[in-house]
Amino acid sequence: MRTRYALILAVIGAVLGAPPASAKPPKGPALPAGIREVVIYPAPALVVIDDAGATVDLATARGHWAFVHFWASWCIPCRREMPHIAQLQKRMQGQDLRFFVVNVADSDDAIFEFLGGIATDLSSLRDPDGSNTEHWQPRGLPSTFLVDPQGMVHYRALGGRDWEDSAYLEFLTRLVAPAGNRK
Amino acid sequence: MIYGMEKSVLISFRLCMASVLLIALQPACGADWRYEDDELEISAFNRSPDQVASFYEGRGFPKPMIDATRNQCFIVWSIRNKTAHVLLMDLARWSFVAESGLVTRVTRAQWFKLWERMGAPANSRATFRWTLLPETLDLQPNESVGGNITLAAFNAPFEVTMSFAAGGLHAATAKRVQIKGVQCAHDTH
């Protein structure tokens, strides 16, 4: 009898101790300050326009990591962060990361004036009525999301940061590197 | 940790006349308020109707929207969670109390209704929405949040009591911060 109970308890223990069927994927790179891992979810649609008025769709980035960033000209932290994003874009050239830097509801003039003063190399996309941004539900501006090649949001960055800092560069480089090349 | 008990602190209250040298940086003839302890860093600045109007005019807001802002009191808040855990902010649990009674807060939903009635342009609504302090937010460790709280225009000083819950909205442990002597800013002309 005791042996049977012990066996039942062992089976229950084994079942409870087993990893759940939907276990999280292996841990990615260590997270630098301000980057938060989220419960992975499908990225909302993002269909915005570029400075020439052409439509740009996040869906075209499938197969690549995407850096989706929302900003506005009146936002002080955005002013501090934007030059770092311009530099980050340069530093990440040739790597598997597509940038979608999206202005929220500013006029053409406001965008031109803002970028002309602090990040002349950066061209921003526009969400003219802010409706795309609403779908993404950023906690505030600026706000950044990192979307994997399958279109799933994995990380978000709270507020502005110095993206040129080595901690962020290393994180992004390791994140977008092909699985076999990750250190 | 101060959870479960009330802490009333007035850290800084500077009158307009005492900050003449700061006028270039702080064009409003008003006051600012700061609070800091081991868990929270909070600052508030009032904005006069002219300042608010010029901010939104600069973003292309139509005149009826600008006029609507002129009837309200705008106070810009900046709040940082210095703890290692989440603090829940819920503006519905904040109070604004003057000697003569409650000061009414104008909520985000009320603004949206007004913009809806006016047929305000979507881009202006979006910008306005982003300049308001969120109604609720789970402030993450070291996260900062900023934005306007709007109140019905009021002429006397009032006390703001802010409540932050750790461990969920209905948590028994709430941190409360009180700032006294907050005032709406008025145009000087």
Side-chain angles (χ1 to χ4, degrees):
Chain A
M1 196 65 171
R2 271 189 192 162
T3 311
R4 188 183 294 172
Y5 279 134
L7 189 60
I8 290 168
L9 286 173
V11 169
I12 290 171
V15 169
L16 292 178
S22 59
K24 286 196 84 172
K27 272 278 180 196
L31 298 182
I35 305 288
R36 295 281 190 279
E37 197 168 6
V38 299
V39 177
I40 299 168
Y41 64 95
L46 182 73
V47 183
V48 287
I49 53 176
D50 67 13
D51 48 11
T55 300
V56 176
D57 190 340
L58 176 66
T60 60
R62 280 292 169 89
H64 310 278
W65 278 89
F67 180 101
V68 179
H69 178 82
F70 297 97
W71 69 278
S73 65
W74 47 265
C75 144
I76 303 297
C78 301
R79 182 168 289 276
R80 287 197 292 266
E81 184 179 34
M82 200 56 84
H84 298 301
I85 291 180
Q87 287 305 313
L88 175 70
Q89 219 170 356
K90 284 183 189 164
R91 302 278 292 268
M92 293 298 289
Q93 259 176 12
Q95 300 196 51
D96 192 23
L97 184 64
R98 303 287 183 269
F99 285 81
F100 293 79
V101 178
V102 180
N103 172 270
V104 183
D106 274 326
S107 67
D108 286 346
D109 288 349
I111 296 171
F112 182 76
E113 196 178 317
F114 179 92
L115 293 178
I118 57 165
T120 47
D121 296 342
L122 189 75
S123 64
S124 178
L125 303 167
R126 293 181 51 214
D127 180 17
D129 64 2
S131 56
N132 277 272
T133 311
E134 289 290 331
H135 296 315
W136 283 74
Q137 296 186 320
R139 298 165 66 82
L141 298 178
S143 205
T144 303
F145 298 83
L146 295 169
V147 182
D148 78 4
Q150 286 74 47
M152 307 294 281
V153 177
H154 281 248
Y155 302 96
R156 73 177 174 207
L158 309 176
R161 67 211 58 260
D162 175 1
W163 288 101
E164 292 172 83
D165 184 281
S166 59
Y168 298 105
L169 284 170
E170 284 167 21
F171 165 73
L172 289 171
T173 301
R174 283 159 53 201
L175 182 72
V176 306
N181 294 352
R182 282 186 192 151
K183 291 168 191 165
Chain B
M1 300 286 278
I2 312 161
Y3 294 112
M5 58 186 283
E6 186 172 291
K7 185 180 182 188
S8 174
V9 182
L10 170 62
I11 292 293
S12 169
F13 174 47
R14 287 184 293 187
L15 291 173
C16 172
M17 295 308 290
S19 61
V20 173
L21 292 175
L22 292 175
I23 280 178
L25 296 172
Q26 191 184 327
C29 186
D32 64 0
W33 300 271
R34 292 182 198 285
Y35 171 90
E36 184 164 10
D37 63 14
D38 292 343
E39 298 169 305
L40 283 164
E41 183 181 350
I42 299 171
S43 62
F45 301 86
N46 55 15
R47 290 286 174 257
S48 72
D50 275 354
Q51 284 182 305
V52 172
S54 63
F55 175 86
Y56 290 121
E57 274 167 8
R59 269 105 205 139
F61 277 43
K63 189 170 180 306
M65 285 183 84
I66 304 284
D67 290 344
T69 67
R70 283 190 174 281
N71 300 324
Q72 311 298 336
C73 167
F74 281 67
I75 299 181
V76 189
W77 293 84
S78 171
I79 299 161
R80 184 164 73 92
N81 176 7
K82 294 170 68 179
T83 72
H85 52 265
V86 172
L87 287 178
L88 192 75
M89 182 184 90
D90 180 4
L91 297 191
R93 294 181 170 218
W94 290 24
S95 67
F96 306 83
V97 182
E99 265 186 25
S100 57
L102 290 177
V103 183
T104 310
R105 186 170 71 87
V106 182
T107 66
R108 176 177 294 246
Q110 288 169 307
W111 281 111
F112 289 175
K113 271 185 194 162
L114 177 64
W115 301 149
E116 192 72 43
R117 277 206 307 275
M118 277 185 181
N123 60 334
S124 300
R125 286 193 224 188
T127 297
F128 190 85
R129 169 217 192 290
W130 287 109
T131 57
L132 293 176
L133 196 66
E135 289 283 322
T136 60
L137 189 69
D138 52 335
L139 262 175
Q140 302 294 313
N142 205 36
E143 185 179 14
S144 296
V145 62
N148 291 315
I149 282 184
T150 55
L151 305 163
F154 201 77
N155 280 324
F158 52 90
E159 181 178 287
V160 181
T161 303
M162 293 161 272
S163 179
F164 300 88
L169 189 57
H170 303 292
T173 54
K175 177 183 178 65
R176 298 177 77 197
V177 174
Q178 286 180 310
I179 298 183
K180 294 175 180 170
V182 179
Q183 278 184 291
C184 300
H186 302 284
D187 293 327
T188 50
H189 52 80

